[in-house]
Amino acid sequence: MRKKIVAGNWKMNKNLQEGMALAAELNDILKAEKPNCDVVICTPFIHLAKVSDMIDHSVIGLGAENCADKKSGAYTGEVSAEMVRSTGAEYVILGHSERREYYHETPEILREKVLLALEQGLKVIFCIGESLAEREANKQNAVVKAELEGSVFNLSADDFKKIVIAYEPIWAIGTGKTATSDQAEEIHAYIRSVIAEKYGKEVAEETSILYGGSCKASNAPELFAKPDIDGGLIGGASLKAADFKGIIDAWK
Ligand code: PGA
């Protein structure tokens, strides 16, 4: 059985004190009532070390939102996969559309990041998804396939098993506009078929594919009920413990 996962992506929100307060609140809530899925919070780099010390990692996994495409050295301002891992974090988000768009991360750069993250034993939440124009031109399948081929299909099957895919249509991120559960299921099933073509059915069946883009407590149950949707990558609604818990409860 593949893993069900609800992962938060805090993006560039919360100062250190606010982030610690949110992590502590979530930790208390989830320790009191064990979730029916894996829960992960991905925080800004500066939160990782402190949050890692505060949370029970058997209840909440911790991840970064990015890491460098170089191993170490003279890259001012960058944070390496090894540094991320040394905080106690277990995950890293790579390929988020905001990184691709605003920071010009190419498929080649992302391929390097993925390799370095895996080398450190980090699990990668790899994001793919089409823009509104691509969806309107009915190119969504070609886009997600190319994104997989460009940055993760170079991996061995054993390494690919350490990847969680997050399908995030760009037009749904932070817009309040969610893909319908049928729209999401259709492309999730397609993504799984592309993985099956490349790595075989068994690997495809084991790969968790998360939906992201204006996912909230009100729409999560319908999305998560679909056979190929294995959870969510949550931006805005991960910034309040009660909202995030509402989404986690969709797996009840
Ligand atoms: P959102 O963001 O939930 O705020 O739409 C999702 C994401 O970008 O991961």
Side-chain angles (χ1 to χ4, degrees):
M1 262 296 276
R2 56 183 174 259
K3 285 198 159 117
K4 304 174 180 111
I5 303 170
V6 173
N9 172 12
W10 290 4
K11 308 194 180 183
M12 197 173 74
N13 294 294
K14 307 274 177 201
N15 65 28
L16 181 58
Q17 289 72 31
E18 291 164 348
M20 286 169 64
L22 174 56
E25 192 184 353
L26 204 60
N27 193 58
D28 288 346
I29 292 174
L30 296 180
K31 274 184 81 83
E33 194 191 324
K34 284 259 155 69
N36 277 344
C37 62
D38 286 8
V39 174
V40 180
I41 52 176
C42 297
T43 79
F45 290 130
I46 63 127
H47 298 65
L48 290 174
K50 288 224 173 190
V51 168
S52 181
D53 285 347
M54 289 170 43
I55 58 173
D56 179 341
H57 288 252
S58 71
V59 178
I60 305 180
L62 179 64
E65 301 169 14
N66 182 26
C67 70
D69 62 338
K70 302 287 192 300
K71 205 176 168 76
S72 66
Y75 300 101
T76 303
E78 287 295 296
V79 175
S80 71
E82 184 184 359
M83 293 170 186
V84 168
R85 186 71 191 107
S86 73
T87 66
E90 299 102 349
Y91 291 83
V92 61
I93 296 173
L94 292 173
H96 193 281
S97 57
E98 288 153 15
R99 301 286 328 164
R100 293 179 193 260
E101 185 178 346
Y102 307 145
Y103 301 97
H104 316 293
E105 294 191 2
T106 62
E108 294 73 31
I109 290 173
L110 291 171
R111 201 187 305 149
E112 291 306 311
K113 292 188 178 200
V114 169
L115 290 172
L116 290 164
L118 293 177
E119 198 178 289
Q120 290 303 321
L122 291 166
K123 285 172 239 167
V124 173
I125 300 174
F126 188 75
C127 304
I128 57 178
E130 80 287 356
S131 67
L132 183 59
E134 288 161 342
R135 164 73 58 171
E136 283 171 346
N138 201 28
K139 287 192 183 139
Q140 63 275 13
N141 287 6
V143 169
V144 296
K145 186 174 188 206
E147 286 176 329
L148 292 169
E149 287 172 344
S151 306
V152 290
F153 275 4
N154 54 304
L155 299 173
S156 67
D158 272 350
D159 277 341
F160 187 81
K161 289 182 192 162
K162 298 164 198 155
I163 308 274
V164 172
I165 301 294
Y167 167 68
E168 301 203 305
I170 298 168
W171 47 272
I173 296 177
T175 57
K177 213 174 148 184
T178 326
T180 65
S181 56
D182 286 339
Q183 259 176 339
E185 169 58 20
E186 190 183 356
I187 192 154
H188 277 235
Y190 172 73
I191 292 165
R192 199 176 304 287
S193 75
V194 171
I195 296 169
E197 258 168 50
K198 171 74 189 167
Y199 292 107
K201 207 164 158 55
E202 202 177 313
V203 173
E205 285 301 319
E206 287 298 307
T207 303
S208 298
I209 307 177
L210 313 184
Y211 170 80
S214 298
C215 184
K216 39 189 185 285
S218 58
N219 57 30
E222 196 186 327
L223 286 159
F224 297 177
K226 294 291 182 185
D228 288 293
I229 301 181
D230 306 310
L233 180 57
I234 319 299
S238 72
L239 296 173
K240 283 195 189 135
D243 293 349
F244 195 49
K245 172 71 163 45
I247 296 171
I248 293 164
D249 285 347
W251 282 120
K252 270 192 180 162

